[in-house]
């Protein structure tokens, strides 16, 4: 009897402790028994679906807009039944804070689509992996070793050389010629990333050829990950691969895998003959660093070849898509607001000068350009619904139960346009970089996910790990292109600002612009 009374007392204390909001992570895991007994807790509201398929047929192409419209009807947390999956969409800053901060550990897992699992070698990367010890180790290696300030400073020469080659090429061959701006920027970012990944291993011509092929394959792979797949919403049908998405993803990833194996083997052979280690530039790329970690016996940092390749794909796919898409949106907004472009160029001229080239050391002084970039991220977040989270156990959010294994979206696109958070008098739907300059608290609008009304890179332990690299590349490329050239639309061309939902929120119509030189000193184009 004493033992039973003790157990009941302990259970009551756990429940009371949970309700007071001061519990540990372990106590936050609500048992199904607790859900059953507490009738106040229930699933969130949402539109009624059809038998078996639920709300699948009612989903609209631009999910971020569709989910925002549902939130106006059903409230800040909405439930949809999509096939056999439960989708939950959170559209308020307070509830997003509950998900990504208060219950961060519970929501740290992912619900990866089939194509993403193929592209991440079964989910052993940073983006799609479950929250476990191997994920923590890989993220630590990525953040502390590869993207440390020291490592990024050492690899700056690779980014600078690529940027100068691009400026020279545009000036020599493409002045007064219409350019697909997004495509051009994608190649710049891809070449920068490839230079940092395996710098001296590939020669310039070979890297350019591999880069062009990478661009095509990555584009097709991203489309596959973003497509609605029957295998994702009806996991029991996965073995049939009805739409062939898994097969297509495997073919693409097999090509990428062969390229990476070839590059890794080539570097290992060079290391064996001490050629790479003697090279001045060998310490500046990430491949040498990761190979050294592979050879180490320290379980805290040692990684496998599969993890190395999965990490490489994360960097290439996420880095190129997010950065090039955002740069295209920045240029689109500046073409729509020429006075903003003039102010940005005037700031760059003042900081850099007209007889000098842009250097990464200048970036911290380009405050207005930084505000323009942040405003672009606000109106056009690259991942409008962030990467979906999946709770490891049932959890209470906003008085509702979030079932274990549900797919949880945080609608950053909607929250970053919310008048309550973004001062209704300044119209949150208009492009106003000044809103990031007027606030006295500069850190309030950084990318670290502490302000839940501004989450372009997410928040919590699954926040984007590549922020330091994206910040450097994005601003550096923009500043260089705006310093070197003026840009205008082709005659009789109307600017299109429509967007298309996907893994990245891209422009529906590519931005085509014409560059003209704006620097008198022609030597700066050499």
């Amino acid at each position: 009897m004493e033992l039973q009374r003790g157990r009941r007392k302990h259970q009551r204390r756990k429940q009371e402790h949970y309700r007071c909001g001061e519990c540990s992570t372990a106590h936050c895991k609500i048992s199904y028994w607790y859900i059953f007994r507490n009738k106040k807790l229930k699933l969130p509201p949402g539109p009624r679906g059809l038998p078996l398929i639920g709300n699948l047929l009612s989903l609209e192409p631009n999910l971020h807009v569709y989910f925002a419209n549902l939130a106006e009807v059903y409230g800040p947390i909405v439930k949809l039944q999509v096939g056999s999956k439960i989708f939950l969409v959170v559209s308020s800053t307070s509830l997003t804070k509950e998900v990504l901060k208060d219950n961060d550990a519970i929501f740290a897992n992912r619900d990866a689509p089939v194509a993403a699992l193929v592209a991440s070698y079964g989910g052993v990367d940073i983006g799609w992996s479950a929250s476990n010890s191997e994920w923590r180790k890989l993220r630590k290696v990525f953040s502390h070793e590869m993207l440390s300030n020291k490592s990024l400073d050492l690899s700056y020469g690779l980014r600078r050389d690529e940027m100068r080659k691009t400026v020279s090429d545009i000036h020599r061959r493409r002045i007064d010629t219409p350019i697909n701006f997004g495509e051009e920027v994608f190649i710049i970012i891809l070449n920068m990333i490839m230079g940092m990944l395996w710098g001296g291993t590939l020669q310039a011509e070979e890297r350019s050829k591999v880069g062009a092929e990478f661009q095509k394959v990555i584009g097709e792979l991203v489309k596959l990950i973003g497509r609605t797949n029957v295998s994702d919403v009806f996991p029991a049908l996965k073995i049939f691969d009805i739409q062939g998405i898994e097969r297509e993803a495997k073919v693409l990833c097999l090509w990428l895998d062969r390229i990476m194996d070839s590059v890794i083997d080539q570097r290992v052979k060079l290391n064996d003959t001490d050629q790479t280690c003697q090279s001045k530039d060998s310490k500046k790329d990430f491949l040498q660093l990761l190979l050294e970690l592979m050879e180490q016996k320290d379980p805290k940092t040692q990684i496998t070849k599969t993890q190395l390749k999965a990490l490489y794909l994360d960097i290439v796919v996420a880095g190129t898509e997010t950065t090039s898409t955002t740069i295209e949106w920045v240029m689109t907004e500046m073409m729509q607001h020429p006075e903003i472009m003039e102010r940005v160029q005037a700031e760059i001229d003042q900081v850099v000068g007209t007889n000098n080239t842009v250097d990464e050391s200048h970036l911290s002084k380009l405050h207005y350009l930084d505000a323009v970039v942040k405003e672009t991220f606000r109106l056009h977040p690259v991942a409008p619904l962030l990467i979906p989270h999946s709770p490891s156990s049932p959890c209470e959010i906003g008085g509702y139960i979030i079932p274990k294994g549900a797919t949880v979206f945080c609608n950053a696109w909607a929250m970053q346009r919310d008048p309550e958070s973004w001062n209704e008098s300044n119209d949150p739907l208009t492009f106003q970089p000044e809103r990031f300059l007027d606030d006295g608290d500069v850190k309030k609008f950084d990318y670290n996910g502490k302000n839940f009304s501004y989450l372009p890179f997410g928040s919590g332990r699954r926040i984007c790990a590549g922020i330091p690299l994206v910040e450097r590349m994005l601003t550096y490329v923009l500043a260089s292109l705006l310093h070197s050239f003026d840009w205008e639309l082709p005659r009789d061309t109307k600017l299109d600002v429509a967007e298309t939902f996907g893994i990245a929120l891209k422009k529906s119509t590519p931005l085509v612009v014409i560059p003209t030189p704006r620097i008198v000193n022609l030597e700066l184009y050499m």
Side-chain angles (χ1 to χ4, degrees):
M1 291 294 292
E2 285 295 325
L3 181 61
Q4 290 179 350
R5 280 197 296 269
R7 286 175 177 171
R8 286 196 295 270
K9 184 177 181 181
H10 175 69
Q11 184 66 25
R12 284 196 302 272
R13 284 178 176 174
K14 279 182 65 175
Q15 292 176 8
E16 290 169 1
H17 190 51
Y18 171 78
R19 286 194 292 272
C20 77
E22 298 176 5
C23 55
S24 65
T25 299
H27 287 171
C28 278
K29 296 180 179 179
I30 309 173
S31 67
Y32 285 101
W33 178 89
Y34 178 63
I35 297 171
F36 178 76
R37 292 295 300 271
N38 193 331
K39 295 181 180 179
K40 293 181 180 179
L41 298 179
K42 57 184 179 180
L43 289 171
R48 180 174 297 180
L50 298 172
L52 187 62
I53 62 173
N55 305 106
L56 180 61
L57 297 182
S58 64
L59 297 180
E60 297 178 3
N62 283 339
L63 281 180
H64 57 302
V65 179
Y66 173 64
F67 287 159
N69 292 335
L70 287 180
E72 293 182 2
V73 177
Y74 296 99
I77 181 167
V78 179
K79 179 189 76 72
L80 297 97
Q81 186 76 40
V82 182
S84 60
K85 291 286 190 76
I86 292 179
F87 283 9
L88 292 153
V89 186
V90 178
S91 301
S92 76
T93 57
S94 59
L95 295 186
T96 299
K97 178 177 176 291
E98 288 189 43
V99 171
L100 300 183
K101 182 180 179 180
D102 300 344
N103 296 284
D104 185 17
I106 294 178
F107 287 90
N109 285 327
R110 298 296 196 197
D111 183 19
V114 170
L117 286 175
V118 173
S120 59
Y121 294 85
V124 299
D125 67 336
I126 291 179
W128 298 102
S129 170
S131 178
N132 53 34
S133 58
E134 287 299 305
W135 169 78
R136 287 190 290 272
K137 178 174 68 175
L138 199 60
R139 185 179 175 101
K140 185 176 180 180
V141 167
F142 184 56
S143 301
H144 295 179
E145 302 288 345
M146 299 173 68
L147 296 192
S148 66
N149 286 332
K150 180 180 179 181
S151 179
L152 289 176
D153 288 342
L154 286 173
S155 63
Y156 166 57
L158 297 165
R159 296 189 293 277
R160 179 194 60 213
D161 293 346
E162 182 59 38
M163 194 66 247
R164 289 181 178 176
K165 282 190 294 185
T166 299
V167 168
S168 176
D169 179 68
I170 293 175
H171 183 265
R172 187 175 66 255
R173 300 190 301 111
R174 312 183 75 176
I175 290 298
D176 297 327
T177 302
I179 293 175
N180 184 323
F181 189 76
E183 197 173 89
E184 184 73 26
V185 170
F186 185 97
I187 295 173
I188 296 172
I189 298 299
L190 179 61
N191 286 339
M192 282 185 176
I193 288 176
M194 291 178 66
M196 288 184 287
L197 290 180
W198 47 58
T201 305
L202 295 178
Q203 299 302 315
E205 292 183 4
E206 187 180 5
R207 188 165 67 244
S208 178
K209 179 182 177 181
V210 171
E213 293 174 335
F214 254 71
Q215 181 183 10
K216 179 181 178 181
V217 173
I218 290 170
E220 293 178 7
L221 188 58
V222 167
K223 288 180 182 178
L224 288 179
I225 296 174
R227 281 176 59 184
T228 301
N229 189 354
V230 172
S231 299
D232 293 326
V233 296
F234 293 102
L237 301 178
K238 179 182 175 181
I239 58 173
F240 301 109
D241 190 22
I242 295 172
Q243 296 162 267
I245 290 178
E246 185 174 6
R247 287 193 300 276
E248 291 183 48
K250 286 181 177 178
V251 171
L252 295 172
C253 289
L254 184 61
W255 182 90
L256 293 169
D257 194 65
R258 284 198 297 264
I259 292 292
M260 289 189 289
D261 277 336
S262 174
V263 174
I264 292 170
D265 292 343
Q266 188 176 341
R267 171 58 68 86
V268 170
K269 291 178 182 178
L270 289 173
N271 284 350
D272 290 341
T273 58
D274 290 332
Q275 293 180 28
T276 303
C277 293
Q278 298 297 326
S279 170
K280 180 180 178 182
D281 292 335
S282 65
K283 294 182 180 179
K284 295 181 181 180
D285 67 65
F286 296 157
L287 181 54
Q288 184 64 32
L289 169 65
L290 294 177
L291 287 175
E292 291 172 0
L293 291 177
M294 284 176 59
E295 296 171 359
Q296 291 179 3
K297 302 302 181 183
D298 185 355
K300 294 182 180 179
T301 57
Q302 188 180 29
I303 63 173
T304 66
K305 186 177 180 179
T306 300
Q307 287 176 319
L308 186 156
K309 292 190 290 186
L311 183 56
Y312 261 38
L313 278 184
D314 274 351
I315 298 170
V316 173
V317 174
T320 53
E321 281 295 314
T322 58
T323 309
S324 61
T325 296
T326 300
I327 291 176
E328 185 176 17
W329 277 118
V330 172
M331 183 61 76
T332 299
E333 289 291 358
M334 287 193 294
M335 298 301 294
Q336 193 172 25
H337 303 90
E339 71 283 0
I340 292 178
M341 182 182 291
E342 291 176 8
R343 182 172 171 181
V344 168
Q345 289 179 316
E347 180 185 59
I348 296 173
D349 289 345
Q350 182 179 6
V351 172
V352 178
T354 56
N355 285 306
N356 196 7
T357 56
V358 176
D359 189 272
E360 282 192 358
S361 62
H362 296 130
L363 303 184
S364 62
K365 302 174 185 177
L366 300 175
H367 303 297
Y368 190 68
L369 176 58
D370 179 61
V372 170
V373 170
K374 286 179 176 175
E375 178 71 342
T376 302
F377 272 126
R378 185 185 72 83
L379 282 178
H380 310 285
V382 178
L385 301 176
L386 306 183
I387 297 180
H389 294 254
S390 184
S392 56
S393 66
C395 183
E396 179 188 350
I397 298 295
Y400 296 105
I401 280 296
I402 309 299
K404 175 183 177 181
T407 302
V408 179
F409 299 96
C410 296
N411 196 340
W413 181 88
M415 290 183 284
Q416 291 179 176
R417 294 166 176 247
D418 184 2
E420 292 186 7
S421 300
W422 292 94
N423 193 346
E424 190 169 7
S425 62
N426 286 336
D427 190 359
L429 300 184
T430 62
F431 190 80
Q432 297 181 26
E434 290 75 17
R435 72 176 83 240
F436 288 93
L437 297 174
D438 295 339
D439 198 296
D441 184 3
V442 178
K443 291 185 178 180
K444 179 180 179 181
F445 294 116
D446 58 24
Y447 300 125
N448 294 328
K450 302 295 177 61
N451 182 342
F452 289 87
S453 62
Y454 188 66
L455 298 173
F457 292 96
S459 181
R461 65 190 66 195
R462 296 311 289 252
I463 192 173
C464 175
I467 295 174
L469 179 59
V470 172
E471 278 192 283
R472 290 201 186 204
M473 289 196 304
L474 193 155
T475 312
Y476 179 52
V477 170
L478 269 171
S480 298
L481 293 177
L482 291 167
H483 180 252
S484 301
F485 305 102
D486 285 317
W487 302 86
E488 60 183 19
L489 294 172
R491 183 176 297 179
D492 300 327
T493 298
K494 185 177 180 180
L495 190 65
D496 181 15
V497 294
E499 56 194 21
T500 300
F501 178 83
I503 293 297
L505 190 64
K506 301 180 73 69
K507 286 183 83 279
S508 298
T509 304
L511 176 65
V512 177
V513 287
I514 298 175
T516 56
R518 66 181 302 269
I519 300 177
V520 177
N521 186 354
L522 297 181
E523 293 182 1
L524 298 180
Y525 291 109
M526 303 301 176

